[in-house]
Amino acid sequence: MADVKKHDTPMCDELKTGNWPSFVDDLEQRGLAGKQECLDLLGQLELSYKHKETHWKHGGIVGVFGYGGGVIGRYSDVPDKYPSIAHFHTVRLNQTSSKFYSSAYLRKLCEIWDYRGSGMTNFHGSTGDIILLGTKSNQLEPIFYDVTHQLGTDLGGSGSNLRTPAGCIGKSRCEYACIDSEAICYDLTQTFQDELHRPAFPYKFKFKVSGCPNDCVAAIARSDCSIIGTWKDDIRIDQSAVQAYVNGELKPNAGAHSDRDWGKFDIQKEVIDLCPTKCMWMEGKDLKIDNRECTRCMHCINIMPVALRPGVNTGATILLGAKAPILDGAQLSSLAIPFIRMEPPYDEFKDFVGKIWDWWMEEGKNRERFGELMQRQSLQKLIKMAELTPIPQMIKEPRSNPYVFWSAEEVEGGWERDVKAFRSRHAA
Amino acid sequence: MAVDKEELKAKILEFATKKAKFKSKMYIKDLYAAEPNASPREIKNAANDLVKEEKLEFFSSGSTTMYGVPGFGKGIEEAFEDDKSE
Ligand code: SF4
Ligand code: SF4
């Protein structure tokens, strides 16, 4: 056994007894094979369980030269007890589009990290980056040199920066992709290098790109700006394949969920009745869709992928303002642009991004997410600042309209309001 | 309005150094006050330049980034405690 010291960690050890593999096992194994950091980390965690408070200090001044992100300073506040993790900085690396790696790449990365850091990784952080957990300040520049020169990999975003953009596997593997999510993700990463590596904003900002409304990267829940592929024209229908599903020759959901016998496929019950806008029906043997009413939910396409395909007139829907529940609870993003072409060089989209960033940089409070600014200053202000044209779809329901309010200048003849006279008739 | 970058950098540095005596960590937004005529983007670019020149420094909690003046500073927790009360 390597020359390492294992701490007594009864509470951590309990986590090993469950049914699932435990990070405690992983840390212990790697630690006993020679990484004192892993054992010290478990020791400090045990202490935190005991004291019911963290023993990490909050942040710090670390980074690599010229970058204002990608490295997060972590310092132990009990370094005497656990000296190997006195510095335990996190390094974020920009993952490849859709997270395709070769095994050679991963081996090289692990070699570098075993040599210069704790050997512990987190594939992937919730933003999408490769997270390398735990290294010392004097290793940061060498790590940066090695990953850029040997792997061609850059640091990711952290702090009040643009965060590393992420996308679904899109056109490389998925027939549903309406836009090239990987190309878009890569282009945004390159275009906004400055915002990605140096803090520019009141708080973090995330782009996520999904090729279709199935939204496999959960852009609508996890990004300040969600780019989701969609189509304008009609769902493509192959009526003979529809019949093949009806007759049981093709498996619904491409055979997923086939571990149980769900009985004979029933197109009425499983597809038509579940269409959220009720815009599908059978006419004899033909499946009909009123495409004007279709909300592109993907349900019918997911069930009968051979028979139904997204249209060919494709682009993206842009939504803004999702965030996790720090202030005011979690929030999904709200519709900003129902349809925009997403062809390189994506100028129309980038113009739009410039406008919303200007607004946020000007008006956003410290540590206010973009979605919180939208909430605070209203969706009406958003469409004004982003120079969007209001459309009927922005009306949530009759008499409840979060996006559009007229101002006197916008209405022919305008109007005048005497607040004093109003108040004489109505209590404040 | 466009502002001369070197002038802007001098103003930001002067402002930050004065302010650092009372509050050692500043948000980018705090630095906007150094030159009201400059756009947020100009301030951001100038402040980041100053970091490159090692006249300002970044301070990050992982989720937020603040600016500091090298040599001024109190404990890390304190800096973040302070801004919670704002
Ligand atoms: S979001 Fe759509 S295009 Fe992207 S991987 Fe998922 S199903 Fe395929
Ligand atoms: S995609 Fe959804 S809304 Fe559109 S027709 Fe299919 S089930 Fe209905």
Side-chain angles (χ1 to χ4, degrees), chain A residues 270-316:
Chain A
E270 292 172 49
V271 181
I272 297 174
D273 289 351
L274 295 180
C275 167
T277 57
K278 304 279 180 266
C279 67
M280 311 178 87
W281 69 97
M282 292 302 283
E283 255 177 51
K285 292 202 155 184
D286 279 359
L287 176 68
K288 298 282 182 193
I289 299 177
D290 179 0
N291 282 278
R292 281 174 58 87
E293 296 300 325
C294 163
T295 52
R296 280 74 176 150
C297 80
M298 295 295 289
H299 173 71
C300 58
I301 299 174
N302 288 335
I303 298 215
M304 307 194 295
V306 183
L308 301 176
R309 285 186 295 161
V312 289
N313 188 358
T314 54

Coordinates of all heavy atoms in Angstrom, one line a residue, chain A residues 270-316:
Chain A
E270 N -53.1 6.4 -27.8 CA -51.7 6.7 -27.5 C -51.1 7.9 -28.2 O -50.1 8.5 -27.8 CB -50.8 5.5 -27.7 CG -51.1 4.4 -26.8 CD -50.3 3.1 -27.1 OE1 -49.1 3.2 -27.3 OE2 -51.0 2.0 -27.2
V271 N -51.7 8.2 -29.4 CA -51.2 9.4 -30.1 C -52.3 10.5 -30.2 O -52.1 11.6 -29.6 CB -50.8 9.0 -31.5 CG1 -50.2 10.2 -32.3 CG2 -49.7 7.9 -31.5
I272 N -53.4 10.2 -30.9 CA -54.3 11.3 -31.2 C -54.9 11.9 -29.9 O -55.0 13.1 -29.8 CB -55.4 10.7 -32.1 CG1 -54.8 10.2 -33.4 CG2 -56.5 11.7 -32.3 CD1 -55.7 9.5 -34.4
D273 N -55.3 11.1 -29.0 CA -55.9 11.6 -27.8 C -54.9 12.4 -26.9 O -55.3 13.2 -26.0 CB -56.6 10.5 -26.9 CG -57.9 10.0 -27.6 OD1 -58.3 10.6 -28.6 OD2 -58.4 9.0 -27.1
L274 N -53.7 12.1 -27.1 CA -52.7 12.7 -26.2 C -52.1 14.0 -26.8 O -51.2 14.7 -26.2 CB -51.6 11.8 -25.8 CG -52.0 10.6 -25.0 CD1 -50.8 9.7 -24.7 CD2 -52.6 11.0 -23.7
C275 N -52.5 14.3 -28.1 CA -52.0 15.5 -28.7 C -52.5 16.7 -27.9 O -53.7 16.8 -27.7 CB -52.5 15.6 -30.1 SG -52.2 17.2 -30.9
P276 N -51.6 17.5 -27.4 CA -52.1 18.6 -26.4 C -53.1 19.6 -27.1 O -53.9 20.2 -26.4 CB -50.8 19.3 -26.0 CG -49.8 18.9 -27.0 CD -50.2 17.6 -27.6
T277 N -53.0 19.8 -28.4 CA -53.9 20.7 -29.0 C -55.0 20.1 -29.8 O -55.8 20.7 -30.5 CB -53.1 21.7 -29.9 OG1 -52.4 20.9 -30.9 CG2 -52.1 22.5 -29.2
K278 N -55.1 18.7 -29.7 CA -56.1 18.0 -30.3 C -56.2 18.3 -31.8 O -57.3 18.6 -32.3 CB -57.5 18.2 -29.6 CG -57.5 18.0 -28.1 CD -57.7 16.5 -27.8 CE -57.7 16.2 -26.4 NZ -56.3 15.8 -25.9
C279 N -55.1 18.3 -32.5 CA -55.1 18.7 -33.9 C -54.9 17.5 -34.8 O -54.5 17.7 -35.9 CB -54.1 19.8 -34.1 SG -52.4 19.3 -33.9
M280 N -55.1 16.3 -34.3 CA -54.9 15.1 -35.1 C -56.2 14.3 -35.2 O -56.9 14.3 -34.2 CB -53.8 14.2 -34.6 CG -52.5 15.0 -34.2 SD -51.3 13.8 -33.5 CE -50.5 13.3 -34.9
W281 N -56.4 13.7 -36.3 CA -57.6 12.8 -36.4 C -57.3 11.7 -37.5 O -56.4 12.0 -38.4 CB -58.8 13.6 -36.6 CG -58.9 14.2 -38.0 CD1 -59.6 13.8 -39.1 CD2 -58.3 15.5 -38.4 NE1 -59.4 14.7 -40.1 CE2 -58.7 15.7 -39.7 CE3 -57.5 16.4 -37.7 CZ2 -58.2 16.9 -40.4 CZ3 -57.1 17.6 -38.4 CH2 -57.5 17.8 -39.7
M282 N -58.1 10.7 -37.6 CA -58.0 9.7 -38.7 C -59.1 10.0 -39.7 O -60.2 10.2 -39.3 CB -58.1 8.3 -38.1 CG -57.0 7.8 -37.3 SD -55.3 7.8 -38.0 CE -55.4 6.4 -39.1
E283 N -58.8 9.9 -40.9 CA -59.8 9.9 -42.0 C -59.6 8.6 -42.7 O -58.7 8.5 -43.6 CB -59.6 11.1 -42.9 CG -60.6 12.2 -42.6 CD -60.3 13.5 -43.5 OE1 -60.2 13.3 -44.7 OE2 -60.2 14.6 -43.0
G284 N -60.5 7.7 -42.5 CA -60.3 6.3 -43.0 C -58.9 5.8 -42.5 O -58.7 5.7 -41.3
K285 N -58.0 5.5 -43.4 CA -56.7 4.9 -43.0 C -55.7 6.0 -42.9 O -54.5 5.8 -42.6 CB -56.3 3.9 -44.0 CG -57.2 2.6 -43.9 CD -56.5 1.4 -44.4 CE -57.1 0.2 -43.8 NZ -56.5 -1.1 -44.1
D286 N -56.1 7.3 -43.2 CA -55.1 8.3 -43.2 C -55.1 9.1 -41.9 O -56.1 9.5 -41.4 CB -55.4 9.3 -44.4 CG -54.8 8.8 -45.7 OD1 -54.2 7.7 -45.7 OD2 -55.0 9.4 -46.7
L287 N -53.9 9.4 -41.5 CA -53.7 10.3 -40.3 C -53.6 11.7 -40.8 O -52.9 12.0 -41.7 CB -52.4 9.9 -39.5 CG -52.1 10.8 -38.3 CD1 -53.1 10.6 -37.2 CD2 -50.7 10.5 -37.8
K288 N -54.5 12.6 -40.2 CA -54.5 14.0 -40.6 C -54.0 14.8 -39.4 O -54.3 14.6 -38.3 CB -55.9 14.4 -41.0 CG -56.5 13.6 -42.1 CD -55.9 14.2 -43.4 CE -56.5 13.5 -44.6 NZ -55.8 13.7 -45.8
I289 N -53.3 15.9 -39.8 CA -52.8 16.9 -38.8 C -53.2 18.3 -39.2 O -52.9 18.7 -40.4 CB -51.3 16.8 -38.6 CG1 -50.9 15.4 -38.1 CG2 -50.8 17.8 -37.6 CD1 -49.4 15.2 -38.0
D290 N -53.8 19.0 -38.4 CA -54.0 20.5 -38.6 C -52.8 21.2 -38.1 O -52.7 21.6 -37.0 CB -55.3 20.9 -37.9 CG -55.6 22.4 -38.2 OD1 -54.7 23.0 -38.9 OD2 -56.5 23.0 -37.7
N291 N -51.8 21.4 -39.0 CA -50.5 21.9 -38.6 C -50.5 23.3 -38.0 O -49.7 23.7 -37.3 CB -49.5 21.8 -39.8 CG -49.0 20.4 -40.0 OD1 -48.1 20.0 -39.3 ND2 -49.6 19.7 -40.9
R292 N -51.6 24.0 -38.4 CA -51.7 25.4 -37.8 C -51.9 25.3 -36.3 O -51.5 26.3 -35.6 CB -52.9 26.1 -38.4 CG -52.6 26.7 -39.8 CD -53.9 27.3 -40.4 NE -54.4 28.3 -39.5 CZ -54.1 29.6 -39.6 NH1 -53.2 30.0 -40.5 NH2 -54.6 30.5 -38.7
E293 N -52.5 24.3 -35.8 CA -52.7 24.2 -34.4 C -51.7 23.4 -33.6 O -51.7 23.3 -32.4 CB -54.1 23.5 -34.2 CG -55.3 24.2 -34.7 CD -55.4 25.6 -34.0 OE1 -55.1 25.7 -32.8 OE2 -55.8 26.6 -34.7
C294 N -50.7 22.8 -34.4 CA -49.7 21.9 -33.7 C -48.7 22.8 -33.0 O -48.3 23.8 -33.5 CB -49.0 21.2 -34.8 SG -47.4 20.5 -34.3
T295 N -48.4 22.5 -31.7 CA -47.5 23.3 -30.9 C -46.1 22.7 -31.0 O -45.2 23.1 -30.2 CB -47.9 23.4 -29.5 OG1 -48.1 22.1 -29.0 CG2 -49.1 24.2 -29.2
R296 N -45.8 21.8 -31.9 CA -44.5 21.2 -32.0 C -44.1 20.5 -30.7 O -42.9 20.7 -30.2 CB -43.5 22.2 -32.4 CG -43.4 22.5 -33.9 CD -44.6 23.4 -34.3 NE -44.5 23.7 -35.7 CZ -45.5 24.0 -36.5 NH1 -46.8 23.8 -36.0 NH2 -45.3 24.3 -37.8
C297 N -45.0 19.8 -30.0 CA -44.6 19.2 -28.8 C -43.8 17.9 -28.9 O -43.2 17.4 -28.0 CB -45.8 18.8 -28.0 SG -46.6 17.3 -28.5
M298 N -43.7 17.3 -30.2 CA -42.9 16.1 -30.5 C -43.6 14.8 -30.1 O -43.1 13.8 -30.4 CB -41.5 16.2 -29.9 CG -40.6 17.3 -30.5 SD -40.2 17.1 -32.2 CE -39.1 15.7 -32.2
H299 N -44.7 14.9 -29.4 CA -45.3 13.6 -28.9 C -45.5 12.6 -30.0 O -45.0 11.5 -29.9 CB -46.5 13.9 -28.1 CG -47.2 12.6 -27.6 ND1 -46.7 11.8 -26.7 CD2 -48.3 12.0 -28.1 CE1 -47.5 10.7 -26.5 NE2 -48.5 10.8 -27.4
C300 N -46.3 13.0 -31.0 CA -46.6 12.0 -32.0 C -45.4 11.5 -32.8 O -45.3 10.4 -33.1 CB -47.6 12.7 -33.0 SG -47.0 14.2 -33.8
I301 N -44.4 12.4 -33.0 CA -43.2 12.1 -33.7 C -42.4 11.1 -32.9 O -41.9 10.1 -33.4 CB -42.4 13.3 -34.0 CG1 -43.2 14.3 -34.9 CG2 -41.1 13.0 -34.7 CD1 -42.6 15.6 -35.2
N302 N -42.3 11.3 -31.6 CA -41.6 10.4 -30.7 C -42.2 9.0 -30.7 O -41.4 8.0 -30.7 CB -41.5 10.9 -29.3 CG -40.6 12.1 -29.1 OD1 -39.7 12.3 -29.9 ND2 -40.9 12.9 -28.1
I303 N -43.5 8.9 -30.8 CA -44.1 7.6 -30.8 C -44.0 6.9 -32.1 O -43.8 5.7 -32.2 CB -45.6 7.7 -30.4 CG1 -45.6 8.3 -29.0 CG2 -46.3 6.4 -30.4 CD1 -46.7 7.9 -28.1
M304 N -44.1 7.6 -33.2 CA -44.1 7.0 -34.5 C -43.0 7.6 -35.4 O -43.3 8.2 -36.4 CB -45.4 7.1 -35.2 CG -46.6 6.6 -34.3 SD -48.1 6.4 -35.2 CE -48.5 8.1 -35.7
P305 N -41.7 7.4 -35.0 CA -40.7 8.2 -35.7 C -40.5 7.8 -37.2 O -40.0 8.6 -38.0 CB -39.4 7.8 -34.9 CG -39.7 6.6 -34.1 CD -41.2 6.7 -33.9
V306 N -40.9 6.6 -37.6 CA -40.8 6.2 -39.0 C -41.9 6.9 -39.8 O -41.7 7.3 -40.9 CB -40.9 4.7 -39.2 CG1 -40.6 4.3 -40.6 CG2 -39.8 4.0 -38.3
A307 N -43.0 7.1 -39.2 CA -44.2 7.6 -39.9 C -44.2 9.1 -39.9 O -44.6 9.8 -40.9 CB -45.5 7.1 -39.3
L308 N -43.7 9.8 -38.9 CA -43.8 11.2 -38.7 C -42.5 11.8 -38.5 O -41.6 11.3 -37.8 CB -44.7 11.6 -37.5 CG -46.1 11.0 -37.6 CD1 -46.9 11.4 -36.3 CD2 -46.9 11.6 -38.8
R309 N -42.2 12.9 -39.3 CA -40.9 13.6 -39.1 C -41.2 15.1 -39.0 O -42.1 15.6 -39.7 CB -40.0 13.3 -40.2 CG -39.4 11.9 -40.1 CD -38.4 11.6 -41.1 NE -38.9 11.6 -42.5 CZ -38.2 11.7 -43.6 NH1 -36.9 11.9 -43.5 NH2 -38.8 11.7 -44.8
P310 N -40.3 15.9 -38.3 CA -40.5 17.3 -38.3 C -40.5 17.8 -39.8 O -39.9 17.2 -40.6 CB -39.2 17.8 -37.6 CG -38.8 16.7 -36.7 CD -39.2 15.4 -37.5
G311 N -41.0 19.0 -40.0 CA -41.0 19.6 -41.3 C -39.5 20.0 -41.8 O -38.6 19.7 -41.1
V312 N -39.5 20.6 -42.9 CA -38.1 20.9 -43.5 C -37.8 22.4 -43.5 O -36.7 22.7 -43.7 CB -38.0 20.3 -45.0 CG1 -38.0 18.8 -45.0 CG2 -39.2 20.9 -45.8
N313 N -38.8 23.2 -43.2 CA -38.5 24.6 -43.1 C -38.2 24.9 -41.6 O -39.0 25.2 -40.8 CB -39.8 25.4 -43.5 CG -39.6 26.8 -43.6 OD1 -38.5 27.4 -43.3 ND2 -40.6 27.6 -44.0
T314 N -36.9 24.8 -41.3 CA -36.5 24.7 -39.9 C -35.7 26.0 -39.4 O -35.2 26.7 -40.2 CB -35.5 23.5 -39.7 OG1 -34.5 23.6 -40.6 CG2 -36.3 22.2 -39.9
G315 N -35.8 26.2 -38.1 CA -35.1 27.3 -37.5 C -35.1 27.0 -36.0 O -35.2 25.8 -35.6
A316 N -35.1 28.1 -35.2 CA -35.2 27.9 -33.7 C -36.2 28.8 -33.1 O -36.5 29.8 -33.6 CB -33.8 28.1 -33.2

